[in-house]
Amino acid sequence: MANNRKSTEYILEALGITKSFGGVIALNNVDFLVKKNEILCLLGDNGAGKSTLIKILAGIFKPDKGEIFLNGKKVVFNGPKESQMLGIETIYQNLALFDKIDIVSNLFIGREIQRFGFILNKKKMDEIAEKTLRKTGINIKSIRQLFGELSGGQKHAVAISRAVFLSGKPKIILMDEPTAGLGVKESNELLKIVKELKENTDITIILITHNLDHAFRVADKIVILRSGEKVSEKNANETNQSEIIENMVGVI
């Protein structure tokens, strides 16, 4: 296949993605296409291949077979940094942030602002942190509060703030089970942030979830993986939870 596609309506195309670990096939010839500013929810039971696919898009794993195109241009990720440089940010379920340091420090890990090339510009970082968190709508006591003191929903809001507003200009945000372990109120607040990102930015969001209600509240499109294969792709407004469950468990 050519390195560039002549025209495409998709910001991301992952074509024929196959990945095995030893003798276990995690993904088998999966096609995965997402439009700009679309919210796509990726569903499937444990072991369906969801996390493997996300990690391939994040540059953690390389596919054994298949090709990835961003805006019609073929790309190969040799690590997470290359995925990030091309505009893909990932928010993992464990958030990959640190409880024992404050919110500002977590926001700027690896992206610290310095004066004279070696002195942290804490005043500037504080100003940007305040402005950034206001955009996300998070309510906290202080930006110098320890990250570990935050609720689960607040932690996710910080992680989203870091990915969206402090990473340059992300084109795609990958979210791995963002509402897992959250209560009803916090889940609602997080889903509100996701919907507002769609309304107020041109970012594409790919979201893994086990919660069908959450998927239908935010998704434009729903893709279902089962045993490493894509078995269904539906516009959210053209399907229902019963049909999705049937596809997930194998009743077609």
Side-chain angles (χ1 to χ4, degrees), residues 60-93:
I60 294 175
F61 296 152
K62 276 190 173 184
D64 299 329
K65 295 180 182 178
E67 297 176 303
I68 299 173
F69 294 83
L70 286 175
N71 288 317
K73 182 179 180 181
K74 184 177 177 179
V75 296
V76 176
F77 302 136
N78 293 307
K81 284 292 184 184
E82 292 190 8
S83 176
Q84 289 176 340
M85 287 175 62
L86 290 172
I88 300 176
E89 288 285 331
T90 308
I91 302 173
Y92 296 103
Q93 189 173 341

Side-chain angles (χ1 to χ4, degrees), residues 11-242:
I11 186 172
L12 170 67
E13 299 171 90
L15 305 177
I17 302 298
T18 298
K19 181 66 178 178
S20 297
F21 298 96
V24 178
I25 299 175
L27 293 170
N28 183 26
N29 198 34
V30 170
D31 289 341
F32 188 79
L33 301 91
V34 195
K35 295 179 180 179
K36 184 177 181 179
N37 196 223
E38 188 171 56
I39 298 178
L40 185 149
C41 283
L42 189 60
L43 302 178
D45 210 344
N46 291 334
K50 306 184 302 298
S51 292
T52 300
L53 180 55
I54 289 295
K55 288 176 180 176
I56 286 173
L57 299 178
I60 294 175
F61 296 152
K62 276 190 173 184
D64 299 329
K65 295 180 182 178
E67 297 176 303
I68 299 173
F69 294 83
L70 286 175
N71 288 317
K73 182 179 180 181
K74 184 177 177 179
V75 296
V76 176
F77 302 136
N78 293 307
K81 284 292 184 184
E82 292 190 8
S83 176
Q84 289 176 340
M85 287 175 62
L86 290 172
I88 300 176
E89 288 285 331
T90 308
I91 302 173
Y92 296 103
Q93 189 173 341
N94 65 3
L95 301 181
L97 297 176
F98 301 93
D99 285 346
K100 296 187 182 299
I101 61 177
D102 63 31
I103 294 170
V104 178
S105 299
N106 270 292
L107 284 171
F108 284 95
I109 288 174
R111 299 163 179 165
E112 294 84 356
I113 299 174
Q114 298 179 332
R115 294 182 298 165
F116 312 116
F118 61 94
I119 300 174
L120 287 181
N121 192 336
K122 293 185 178 181
K123 181 179 179 181
K124 185 68 173 177
M125 289 164 64
D126 286 356
E127 290 174 356
I128 294 174
E130 292 274 13
K131 182 179 179 181
T132 297
L133 294 174
R134 280 198 300 270
K135 290 180 182 178
T136 314
I138 179 178
N139 294 313
I140 55 171
K141 296 177 183 177
S142 165
I143 58 173
R144 289 296 172 184
Q145 187 175 355
L146 291 180
F147 188 71
E149 296 174 355
L150 301 179
S151 69
Q154 289 172 325
K155 287 181 177 180
H156 275 83
V158 170
I160 290 171
S161 296
R162 171 179 160 83
V164 174
F165 300 112
L166 295 177
S167 62
K169 294 183 178 180
K171 301 178 180 70
I172 300 169
I173 302 291
L174 311 176
M175 297 184 178
D176 187 2
E177 294 282 4
T179 59
L182 301 186
V184 173
K185 182 180 178 181
E186 289 189 323
S187 293
N188 289 339
E189 291 172 351
L190 189 59
L191 294 173
K192 180 182 177 183
I193 291 173
V194 171
K195 292 175 73 173
E196 288 176 348
L197 285 177
K198 175 180 173 62
E199 293 168 1
N200 300 323
T201 73
D202 60 359
I203 291 172
T204 297
I205 298 172
I206 300 171
L207 188 153
I208 291 178
T209 182
H210 278 89
N211 191 307
L212 294 184
D213 178 58
H214 293 174
F216 276 94
R217 285 171 61 182
V218 299
D220 298 304
K221 185 191 296 180
I222 294 173
V223 168
I224 300 171
L225 296 181
R226 188 174 72 243
S227 300
E229 298 185 351
K230 186 174 82 172
V231 295
S232 177
E233 179 177 321
K234 304 279 187 179
N235 291 327
N237 61 2
E238 296 175 348
T239 186
N240 56 62
Q241 293 196 20
S242 295

